[in-house]
Amino acid sequence: MRTLICLIATPSCLTESGYLLHQDGAVVIGAFFPVLKSVPVSEIIDWKTLSFDTHNSLWINAQMYQLVLAMIFAINEINVKSHILPNTSLGLEIYNLPHFERNILRSALSWLTGLSKFIPNYTCRKDSKSAAALTGISRKTSETFGTLLDIYKFPQLNFGPCDPVQIGRNQFPSVYQVAPKDTPLFCGITSLMLHFNWTWVGLLITDDNRGSQFLSELRKELDKNKICIAFVETVIFLGESLHCPLTHNQMQTLESSANVIIVYGHFAFQLIVIQSKHRKYEMKKIWVITSKWVGQKIEQYTMLELAHGTLTFSPHHGEISDFTNFMQEVTPIKYPEDIFLHILWNQYFSCPLLHSECKIFENCIPNASLELLPGGVFELVMTEESYNVYNAVYAVAHSLHEKALHQVEIQPQDNKDRTILFPWQLHPFLKNIQLINSVGDCVILDWKKKTDTEYDISNIWNFPTGLSLLVKVGTFAPSAPKGQQLSISEHKINWPIGFTEIPKSVCSESCSPGHRKVILESKPACCFDCTPCPDKEISNETDVGQCVKCPESHYANTEKSHCLKKTMTFLDYNDSLGTGLTLMSLGFFVVTGLVIGVFIIHRNTPIVKANNRSLSYILLITLTLCFLCPLLFIGLPNTATCILQQNLFGLLFTVALSTVLAKTITVVMAFKITAPGRKTRWLLILRAPQFIIPLCALMQILFSGIWLGTSPPFVDMDAHSEHGHIIILCNKGSAIGFYCTLAYLGVMAFGSYLLAFMSRNLPDTFNESKALAFSMLMFCSVWVTFLPVYHSTTGKVRVAMEMFSILASSASILTLIFVPKCYIVLFRPERNILPLNREKRQHRSKNPET
């Protein structure tokens, strides 16, 4: 633990009087400003050469001195106005506010008692002229004064930032807040973060109730808008403008991934100054602070790079032009009673100071003025706190005026001395005060009646010459319509050195359209991974949490950022599948026609006549139609084609298989029934097998009728099978009807196969039982294979699979039954004769003479 020992040399002239600046009047307003500061000798800095001064330990805060000038200016204005307190003069007593909290009460008691050294229960003031006290800037200062002054119900006007916690608790009813509500500040900061898409920010706040309240309110607003806080660092507040330096760990935290750091407190720039001592850290950050630069600026010249580009939020107020002229004309000669001014002249213009009186020699520098001081030391523009002091003085004056009028109204003839002032009598008038100041702004002290104020957003420009400029770059108007509250001029903003474009401050890069966010476990919501959207889903915005599924009539583009309308398609003749199957269908149709032609030409040959020539013709004609049946599956479907596809397919194959069954039965009957002595030969004579065909066809027609009556096929659309397309196809309506048809065909095929297989060894030259058995075996194999393949495919491929199965099963019947016969007819005619004729022909060839 280190102890800092400071040697403080305070001029004796400052201790000889309780107040440092006094202006007599019928009514006096007291004020406490942190103007003078005693610092260690080793920390005194020459503002010109930046060298250490070891000859003086008293330092004046030139920026805080503007508060003194604002109060003097306001009282002088009021005293020359005839409509405010016409017969009463206002005076002032200004005390220096110690930086350490333990010394604040000493100043307050000196003011109350008139004693430089406080003695309990004693006072040197015979008739108190004090009407109110102006205090600030910190919350702790207001609380310390409030605890004491509230005992006497003494009005206290705080010119520092509003403290909603203190007001909400009603802890100090005698304290009035002059500053406007800072409620819109949280929305303003959040709107700025959203405007630049800064979703990963750090916080630097004071370690007190006000800092905690700021963190709580800001966190609510940030969370509502999905902005994450990367870190929160607190600074221990020691007094009015003193704080503990940032530690090494805190500096490392500030150097983290968050490029934007929000700083809360009037000491904001003093905190940044501390970082200039940590030269090994490159603090290329965007600082967003909640007030204009308040405090000593001399150190600014050592940290141009750090402060450049800072954005500030400050309540908007009008500019009082006469105040600027007033500050330019202020000199120690014109205001000899102002000790602060003499010390300032001594400090910045090196004028000798009479130690006993704290006054400079006359005509030290005749042309010296505050205007000659650099902007880093003293600004001629009214600060936020100075504006609050100006309004506070006017609020007290108007309250006194209203009180005087009220006394005249209720006691017009009373001879009682009205000059006797009891400060507690001002409370009703202060609470109800509503006045318009010289620049048109409304001044209200009652917290409940205050309206949300507009905020100015400024940007700090630092120049290598050591000059700084506060440039207004935007506004935040809470009363404007939503979406139009923030107005920012990006082209006016000078970003910190090292940034060539608008800086980024994010934990994770935004997820581009076509991706969605995946929140990482145990990480803030702003830290996430990006993953592509699933199939058939899109995201057309950045940083979406869920992808949106495209409608059935649309599909996702390659980037998965838009839904595109699907095109209608169907199995067309121009498709490769359609063209190939059409050629196959027509090819087999032609081949079947040729087979029919061969059979007609050689209709009287034994091989054609064998096994019932009529059934062969029926089978060939049916196969011809079966080969044309797949053409119904090609082209734009309609209700008629959908019905014909399944029902015509089932009917034609029923006829074909029943014909094969009839041929098989014919072979069996030819050998079994035609044997001598059999009484059932009449079945063969009456051509009983041919009645199998209409009977089986009638059953299929019955099935089709039930199918069409319950759930007929219809035109359907398949939006899932083919990417980017909606396939128009036929829905079978009833899957049961379709599978019943296949089962019926399978029973006939299997029955034909069994009969043919049993009659394969019957003695006959042209016995086609083996061909029938093998063709039925192939037929069953095709359709058994068809079922699993059919269920594993969709869209056009499923339709093509059914067409191919029709062609394959029909081709197996044609090839295995009729191709061998055509081969014998065309290429082996010697085998196309009966056995008896064959023996005669062979005998003639051996004995040509006979």
Side-chain angles (χ1 to χ4, degrees), residues 546-564:
Q546 293 293 334
C547 298
V548 180
K549 193 171 184 178
C550 289
E552 294 293 335
S553 58
H554 292 70
Y555 69 99
N557 61 349
T558 306
E559 294 78 16
K560 296 184 179 179
S561 59
H562 292 90
C563 288
L564 305 178

Side-chain angles (χ1 to χ4, degrees), residues 157-226:
L157 282 73
N158 180 19
F159 57 84
C162 265
D163 189 355
V165 176
Q166 189 182 84
I167 297 172
R169 293 176 180 172
N170 200 23
Q171 186 177 2
F172 304 107
S174 298
V175 177
Y176 299 91
Q177 299 281 351
V178 183
K181 281 183 178 180
D182 61 358
T183 307
L185 178 63
F186 309 109
C187 294
I189 294 176
T190 303
S191 298
L192 183 69
M193 302 297 110
L194 292 174
H195 178 81
F196 291 112
N197 198 27
W198 293 335
T199 58
W200 188 244
V201 298
L203 282 181
L204 195 57
I205 60 175
T206 51
D207 187 18
D208 57 10
N209 290 339
R210 184 176 288 180
S212 300
Q213 179 69 16
F214 176 83
L215 173 61
S216 175
E217 295 297 329
L218 183 61
R219 188 189 294 273
K220 291 178 184 177
E221 200 65 30
L222 294 178
D223 291 344
K224 191 190 304 180
N225 292 275
K226 300 180 180 179

Side-chain angles (χ1 to χ4, degrees), residues 691-830:
F691 291 99
I692 295 175
I693 298 174
L695 182 62
C696 293
L698 185 61
M699 292 183 65
Q700 176 58 37
I701 293 173
L702 180 62
F703 288 153
S704 298
I706 297 173
W707 185 357
L708 294 176
T710 55
S711 180
F714 58 91
V715 179
D716 197 6
M717 294 185 182
D718 182 2
H720 307 285
S721 299
E722 192 171 335
H723 181 70
H725 296 86
I726 297 177
I727 303 174
I728 304 175
L729 43 72
C730 291
N731 189 306
K732 294 178 172 54
S734 173
I736 297 176
F738 176 69
Y739 293 124
C740 284
T741 299
L742 291 182
Y744 180 59
L745 296 177
V747 169
M748 287 192 295
F750 188 69
S752 300
Y753 167 74
L754 289 178
L755 290 175
F757 183 79
M758 289 187 296
S759 61
R760 69 187 185 282
N761 294 323
L762 293 176
D764 185 29
T765 303
F766 304 109
N767 184 6
E768 58 182 3
S769 295
K770 293 181 179 179
L772 293 175
F774 194 50
S775 66
M776 291 299 97
L777 182 61
M778 290 299 298
F779 181 91
C780 292
S781 300
V782 168
W783 287 103
V784 168
T785 307
F786 162 80
L787 290 175
V789 177
Y790 179 80
H791 285 286
S792 62
T793 56
T794 57
K796 294 181 182 180
V797 178
R798 173 176 285 189
V799 177
M801 186 61 203
E802 187 173 353
M803 293 171 60
F804 180 79
S805 298
I806 294 173
L807 292 175
S809 57
S810 301
S812 64
I813 296 174
L814 176 67
T815 304
L816 296 175
I817 296 177
F818 295 102
V819 169
K821 292 183 178 182
C822 290
Y823 175 77
I824 293 174
V825 170
L826 296 176
F827 302 105
R828 300 294 296 272
E830 69 278 3

Side-chain angles (χ1 to χ4, degrees), residues 81-192:
K81 291 180 178 180
S82 59
H83 65 280
I84 304 177
L85 299 175
N87 299 319
T88 306
S89 62
L90 274 182
L92 59 84
E93 288 181 358
I94 298 178
Y95 294 77
N96 183 56
L97 189 63
H99 290 279
F100 289 102
E101 192 177 349
R102 63 177 178 269
N103 295 326
I104 293 177
L105 277 177
R106 182 182 303 171
S107 296
L109 291 172
S110 297
W111 171 59
L112 287 173
T113 63
L115 296 172
S116 59
K117 293 184 178 180
F118 172 66
I119 301 176
N121 299 325
Y122 280 85
T123 178
C124 291
R125 296 183 184 272
K126 295 181 180 179
D127 297 322
S128 177
K129 298 180 181 180
S130 299
L134 307 186
T135 63
I137 297 175
S138 71
R139 177 177 179 272
K140 288 189 177 181
T141 300
S142 298
E143 286 184 354
T144 304
F145 275 97
T147 303
L148 177 63
L149 299 182
D150 196 54
I151 299 174
Y152 307 99
K153 306 301 179 185
F154 212 101
Q156 175 187 344
L157 282 73
N158 180 19
F159 57 84
C162 265
D163 189 355
V165 176
Q166 189 182 84
I167 297 172
R169 293 176 180 172
N170 200 23
Q171 186 177 2
F172 304 107
S174 298
V175 177
Y176 299 91
Q177 299 281 351
V178 183
K181 281 183 178 180
D182 61 358
T183 307
L185 178 63
F186 309 109
C187 294
I189 294 176
T190 303
S191 298
L192 183 69

Side-chain angles (χ1 to χ4, degrees), residues 39-56:
V39 296
V41 174
S42 60
E43 288 190 8
I44 300 300
I45 305 173
D46 188 342
W47 69 276
K48 293 180 180 179
T49 62
L50 295 178
S51 61
F52 295 103
D53 184 2
T54 59
H55 302 291
N56 197 354

